[in-house]
Amino acid sequence: MEARAKLIDVAAFLDRVDRASGPGDFRWTALRGALAELASEKSGRAERVLLALSDPTLEPLAAAPGKGAAGAWPGKSA
Amino acid sequence: MRYIEPHGHMVSRVTDDYVNMVTAGCAAVCEPAFWAGFDRSSPDGFFDYFKQLTEYEPKRAAKFGLPHYCWLCINPKESEDVRLAEEVIALIPQFLNAPGVLGIGEIGLNKNSRNELKVLEMHIDLAARHDQLILVHTPHLEDKWKGTKLILDALKNDRRVKPERVIVDHVEEHTVKLVLDAGHWGGMTLYPESKCTAARAIDILDTMGTDRLWMNSACDWGVSVPLAVPYAALEMRKRGYTPGQIDQFVFGNPARFMSQTAKFKMPE
């Protein structure tokens, strides 16, 4: 029941975004990419979802762009 | 049930939290130095905070019969200003002999910048020079995997660091193996949204085993649950862990790590 409720919450969130207007958001793109892992039959889905939303680079940033995290990596161009 | 809260920012909590924790079986609480939610304007602000952690908060906890320990540092969220960090780090040695100080923490990275990395290396050096345990904060969300890799490299690069004397906190499914394979301890932080839920933390135990891991609530001034550890113990019970295994994990493991300093007294 818990997983069912969470799945419907995610579905409702996607519907809510469909109804919204405004510019795109890199987090939306990243979330859609990570969602594909839910349909995978291979174990390790939680780890792969986390990695799909992570900064994959290893070079330290020249300066911290603030303190907060967004939830997804905006890419090198951001 | 008895348990140790190995990571709680109690200066941000109210006395009701102490009452509830002790009622739930908390036998000791350990408080890493943290960001106040705003940047402190001078080293004097840190001096006062270190006094609060080493003198006032242990007295407040003692009113509820709870032993209070702490870790000292300038938190990664304030590490972009290297000059300030140098001045704050210079203040720390005078506090290291206080009876409740377990080591240096929670140090680490926040946004994975070069200055944060410099300050992390300064903290590692401080810990090594004074033979202190280390508690590491890993970054949030999209920055965690990269930050964990950079932190592990920094720890490995200082040959004075003994891996088993370092706990790397806030591990999740994509970082726990990196930390354990490096010989460190791993901490799982139980948060409603941004870190592990109780169910996910127990999933990690199911797959990785219980050795060199602990759970904490990291309760602070933000969205967090001071009783997250006993709630997760209930989840362990549902999954079939025995009372003895639960006790070993929520009490025995943190006690085993922290007993590496003579400052930590085994709770009765």
Side-chain angles (χ1 to χ4, degrees):
Chain A
M1 290 300 287
E2 187 183 347
R4 180 182 187 276
K6 287 178 177 173
L7 186 62
I8 296 167
D9 256 351
V10 171
F13 170 75
L14 298 177
D15 289 343
R16 207 174 303 135
V17 174
D18 282 346
R19 294 196 301 274
S21 58
D25 186 315
F26 69 91
R27 294 172 296 179
W28 170 244
T29 309
L31 185 71
R32 292 297 295 263
L35 277 174
E37 292 295 344
L38 299 187
S40 169
E41 294 189 1
K42 190 177 168 193
S43 194
R45 298 171 193 84
E47 179 179 3
R48 292 198 301 279
V49 166
L50 284 161
L51 289 172
L53 299 173
S54 295
D55 179 351
T57 68
L58 286 173
E59 186 65 25
L61 300 183
K67 294 191 197 298
W73 185 54
K76 280 187 176 173
S77 58
Chain B
M1 188 187 79
R2 59 178 181 169
Y3 75 98
I4 291 171
E5 173 53 80
H7 186 147
H9 299 291
M10 301 309 294
V11 303
S12 303
R13 309 303 308 193
V14 297
T15 52
D16 280 356
D17 295 321
Y18 273 126
V19 171
N20 291 333
M21 289 165 70
V22 172
T23 303
C26 189
V29 64
C30 311
E31 177 155 8
F34 189 42
W35 181 52
F38 60 93
D39 288 349
R40 295 172 179 91
S41 59
S42 74
D44 290 343
F46 286 88
F47 182 87
D48 291 344
Y49 178 47
F50 296 154
K51 295 275 278 186
Q52 184 181 19
L53 288 177
T54 57
E55 295 181 11
Y56 177 71
E57 200 61 28
K59 288 179 187 163
R60 196 163 78 106
K63 288 178 183 170
F64 304 92
L66 189 62
H68 177 282
Y69 297 92
C70 67
W71 304 75
L72 303 178
C73 73
I74 175 169
N75 190 272
K77 283 193 172 68
E78 285 172 292
S79 292
E80 192 60 19
D81 184 341
V82 176
R83 178 81 183 272
L84 174 68
E86 285 171 343
E87 292 180 82
V88 173
I89 288 172
L91 294 173
I92 293 175
Q94 66 190 291
F95 292 96
L96 291 178
N97 286 331
V101 177
L102 297 176
I104 303 301
E106 55 181 305
I107 61 174
L109 299 173
N110 183 49
K111 295 305 292 181
N112 302 326
S113 74
R114 288 180 192 149
N115 282 355
E116 289 174 9
L117 201 51
K118 266 186 212 165
V119 174
L120 169 62
E121 289 165 350
M122 288 158 52
H123 276 117
I124 294 171
D125 173 67
L126 176 72
R129 282 190 284 113
H130 293 272
D131 194 28
Q132 296 290 307
L133 295 176
I134 294 175
L135 191 156
V136 179
H137 163 95
T138 52
H140 302 272
L141 306 178
E142 72 271 18
D143 300 313
K144 184 180 295 294
W145 182 84
K146 174 178 180 173
T148 302
K149 298 276 279 187
L150 292 172
I151 287 165
L152 293 178
D153 283 347
L155 290 164
K156 190 176 178 183
N157 287 341
D158 193 318
R159 290 170 181 256
R160 297 168 296 175
V161 173
K162 297 185 176 89
E164 70 276 13
R165 287 173 57 81
V166 178
I167 173 112
V168 179
D169 216 339
H170 316 320
V171 298
E172 293 181 67
E173 289 88 340
H174 59 325
T175 57
V176 61
K177 190 169 186 306
L178 298 173
V179 169
L180 295 179
D181 284 352
H184 304 302
W185 283 65
M188 298 183 292
T189 297
L190 305 161
Y191 268 6
E193 289 178 346
S194 59
K195 293 189 173 71
C196 276
T197 59
R200 284 175 53 207
I202 311 311
D203 290 340
I204 290 173
L205 295 186
D206 286 347
T207 54
M208 303 298 297
T210 57
D211 191 35
R212 283 191 291 124
L213 285 169
W214 77 28
M215 293 189 297
N216 58 68
S217 75
C219 57
D220 55 30
W221 40 259
V223 178
S224 50
V225 180
L227 294 182
V229 172
Y231 291 161
L234 183 60
E235 178 73 17
M236 289 182 80
R237 193 73 178 262
K238 286 183 190 168
R239 300 276 190 102
Y241 287 86
T242 66
Q245 288 172 320
I246 295 169
D247 180 74
Q248 183 56 46
F249 184 62
V250 300
F251 180 87
N253 274 15
R256 184 155 61 97
F257 177 80
M258 291 185 287
S259 292
Q260 293 181 93
T261 169
K263 297 272 194 72
F264 184 77
K265 309 295 181 201
M266 189 63 77
E268 293 176 4

